Each structure stands twice: as C-alpha cells, then as structure tokens.
Amino acid sequence: FRLAIALAKEAGCDLIIGTDPDADRVGIVVRVTAGEYRETPDVAFVCVKGYSLDDAAELLARCAGLLLTGGQDVDPAVYGREKLAVCGEVSLERDGQESWLLDRALERDLPVLGICRGHQFLNAYLGGTLYQDLPAQHPSPVCHSQKPPYDRPVHAVCVKEGSLLASLIGAGELRVNSFHHQAVERLAPALEADTVSEDGLVEAVHLPGKPFV
C-alpha cells in the first residue's frame, strides 16, 4: 500500500478506485494527472494482503470511489445465518475487510459500486439476507447461471421507474447475462430495489440519501 501511495505521489496521480478481487490481493486503479506518465490513461497497482489499517486508511483517503467485485460467497454469519452445505467458499478476512472499507466509504459519501458478490455483500452489510444457493432455496426456470458464451442475455429484468439505475439507462425491461448462485433474499431496510428479475429476485439496488451507492 505504501508503495502504491508513493508511486502515485511521485507520478502526480489520483487514486480513483480501490477494488478487492479476492482474499489475496487488492487492486488499485489510478488516473494519471501529471508527470512523465501523462500519456497513460490508467495504471493498475496490485498489493498483497497483510496491510495495516493505517495503510488502508491512507490509501482510501486518496480514493474517489470504491468498487466491490465478485468472488467468494458472503459468509452467512454476516447476516446472522448458519452456513448450509450448498454455500460455497467464504472468506472471513475479505468480509471483514470490505465491512471496514464500507464503513469509511459511506462516512465520506464516496461513490460505491457493488458487482455480483459486491452487490450481495452490500445488502448483507446493511442488514439484509441472502439466498445461499438459488437452485436449492429459490428454484426457478429462469437461468441465473448461464453457460458460455457469457456475453449473451439469458433473462429479463425490470428497471424500476424513478430508480437510480433508471436515471442512467432508462426504465423498463432489460435483457441481461447472468452468472450467480446467490442472491438477495430479504432486502436491507435502507436499500431500494432498482431491478427485479422475472422470477422476483432483486438484481440491482441503491442506497437513498447517498450520492451514488
């Protein structure tokens, strides 16, 4: 982390997004704004785990947004449930790390984007619950775990009128690709649903009162 910060300062960069791809590494994307690297649009730093909270706090202070990516399943302990046999690999370290990052990102009103696990973790972090395995707990003819190629749409969602997502892409039906075996079960009280799938699953959310979460 200190190396990433030092390199960013040396190149006159602004750290714009902190990501957490898995329990073993954290990717930091910076936008170059000055110095000899001006022609490079983005530079990625990958930092191994094992950093101190002081390092993480200093790094997050230079970020303009937080991206929570896909990866392991969210540990059911986060939302007060026992882990079922159908639940996949979990990472207590990652869950704790992302809770710590979200605490501070929300305090600072940083933009936060959760994708796949990130979206599910945000719901659990704010008091919602998850289906630990859709085939076992929410059987449906709708395909949520498609086969390759992964860039083809396999089911529809309804983007709700007046939602944050509707302000970006418009309201109405949208065809999407899909690859997840967990999903929002009970929506966190603080969140609002932006999209709902054909079989009633909340597929996108936002946090009212925040600029972009």
Side-chain angles (χ1 to χ4, degrees):
F1 274 80
R2 292 197 180 282
L3 175 60
I5 293 168
L7 288 171
K9 288 179 177 178
E10 178 69 21
C13 302
D14 292 325
L15 293 168
I16 57 170
I17 297 176
T19 70
D20 188 358
D22 57 38
D24 294 321
R25 64 184 185 274
V26 176
I28 307 302
V29 180
V30 303
R31 175 175 296 152
V32 175
T33 56
E36 61 181 297
Y37 307 105
R38 185 184 297 273
E39 298 303 317
T40 306
D42 295 288
V43 180
F45 295 101
V46 176
C47 308
V48 297
K49 63 181 179 180
Y51 57 87
S52 71
L53 292 184
D54 286 342
D55 289 340
E58 184 176 358
L59 183 61
L60 190 63
R62 293 181 59 82
C63 290
L66 176 64
L67 173 64
L68 302 176
T69 68
Q72 301 101 327
D73 288 354
V74 178
D75 192 323
V78 175
Y79 47 95
R81 297 280 178 84
E82 294 292 326
K83 184 181 179 185
L84 304 178
V86 290
C87 186
E89 177 190 0
V90 299
S91 171
L92 290 173
E93 181 180 10
R94 179 173 180 177
D95 292 339
Q97 180 189 79
E98 292 189 347
S99 292
W100 188 92
L101 290 168
L102 272 171
D103 284 345
R104 283 143 188 85
L106 295 178
E107 284 175 5
R108 291 180 51 201
D109 282 338
L110 286 180
V112 176
L113 176 63
I115 300 173
C116 196
R117 174 204 144 91
H119 147 81
Q120 296 159 10
F121 184 80
L122 179 66
N123 182 64
Y125 166 86
L126 290 171
T129 63
L130 303 178
Y131 290 112
Q132 295 186 39
D133 182 71
L134 287 177
Q137 297 180 300
H138 187 81
S140 165
V142 175
C143 177
H144 290 285
S145 187
Q146 71 185 85
K147 305 297 183 183
Y150 296 115
D151 59 349
R152 61 186 174 89
V154 292
H155 73 78
V157 297
C158 178
V159 182
K160 292 188 173 182
E161 189 76 44
S163 67
L164 176 62
L165 189 59
S167 72
L168 299 173
I169 64 172
E173 183 176 299
L174 179 68
R175 298 286 297 175
V176 298
N177 59 344
S178 188
F179 192 79
H180 59 102
H181 87 109
Q182 296 200 318
V184 171
E185 180 189 40
R186 186 183 73 245
L187 188 64
L191 293 173
E192 289 187 5
D194 284 29
T195 70
V196 177
S197 65
E198 298 163 284
D199 54 348
L201 292 178
V202 174
E203 299 270 22
V205 301
H206 76 276
L207 180 59
K210 294 294 182 181
F212 189 93
V213 177

